[in-house]
């Protein structure tokens, strides 16, 4: 009786322990990668990305004093990174694309309008193709994008 209970207990521990190990290992790797990218784009400590937010493997970081913005998407095999010097930008807005038939949001982009060149730069913040379960992350990503659009616009206008 004691042997079978011990064996069942060990099997349950293994079943629970292996997925937890992979989750924690993935978190450590992502944190190291984010820290490395922060150091890389700080440009010799010129930018201090003290205000940042991480959600659904997306990172938005801003330095409101030096006016630097860093957008990271770690959902790809090769992470997508966009660094924007907000001193050279006139405006930031969200571009939301909806599907024709269902009126559901299929992608959310940050659009940056530059001062001198009338050039615009887009950063793909949400893509339905990248949402593995199908619009599960949409609500959270949309709220995060709206919040950061106002933060970025306030930083640009100062």
């Amino acid at each position: 009786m004691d042997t079978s209970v011990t064996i069942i207990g060990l099997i349950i521990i293994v079943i629970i322990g292996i997925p937890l190990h992979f989750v924690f290992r993935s978190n450590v790797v992502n944190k190291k990668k984010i820290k490395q990218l922060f150091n890389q784009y700080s440009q010799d400590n010129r930018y201090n990305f003290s205000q940042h937010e991480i959600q659904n493997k997306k990172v938005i970081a801003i330095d409101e004093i030096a006016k630097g913005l860093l957008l990271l998407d770690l959902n790809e095999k090769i992470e997508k990174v966009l660094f924007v010097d907000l001193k050279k930008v006139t405006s930031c807005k969200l571009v939301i694309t909806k599907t024709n038939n269902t009126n559901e949001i299929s992608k959310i982009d940050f659009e940056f309008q530059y001062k001198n060149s009338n050039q615009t730069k887009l950063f793909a913040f949400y893509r339905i193709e990248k949402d593995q379960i199908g619009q599960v992350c949409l609500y959270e990503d949309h709220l995060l994008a709206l919040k950061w659009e106002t933060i970025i616009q306030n930083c640009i206008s100062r």
Side-chain angles (χ1 to χ4, degrees), residues 25-92:
R25 192 178 79 181
S26 174
N27 267 345
V28 168
V29 169
N30 283 339
K31 286 182 182 180
K32 284 181 183 177
K33 190 178 286 190
I34 290 168
K35 188 175 181 180
Q36 174 194 12
L37 289 169
F38 277 6
N39 290 336
Q40 178 183 348
Y41 285 94
S42 71
Q43 298 177 359
D44 297 326
N45 294 326
R46 181 175 159 208
Y47 294 101
N48 179 16
F49 299 111
S50 57
Q51 183 179 357
H52 64 276
E53 202 160 342
I54 303 168
Q55 178 176 291
N56 298 329
K57 288 188 158 185
K58 294 177 180 79
V59 181
I60 303 176
I62 192 167
D63 182 350
E64 294 189 67
I65 297 168
K67 294 193 175 191
L69 176 72
L70 187 61
L71 296 164
L72 308 169
D73 188 356
L74 304 174
N75 286 320
E76 310 275 331
K77 294 228 185 268
I78 300 172
E79 64 271 347
K80 291 171 60 175
V81 179
L82 176 67
F83 175 77
V84 179
D85 185 1
L86 295 177
K87 294 174 188 172
K88 299 177 182 177
V89 173
T90 58
S91 68
C92 169

Side-chain angles (χ1 to χ4, degrees), residues 55 94 96 105 108 125-126 137-147:
Q55 178 176 291
L94 285 181
I96 298 173
I105 295 174
I108 300 173
F125 191 71
Y126 173 84
C137 300
L138 172 63
Y139 180 73
E140 294 173 343
D141 287 350
H142 191 210
L143 288 179
L144 182 68
L146 288 170
K147 173 185 171 185

Side-chain angles (χ1 to χ4, degrees), residues 107-121:
K107 64 181 176 176
I108 300 173
D109 295 316
F110 277 102
E111 180 183 72
F112 298 97
Q113 181 72 40
Y114 284 86
K115 289 179 182 176
N116 298 336
S117 64
N118 288 334
Q119 172 191 5
T120 60
K121 188 173 271 191

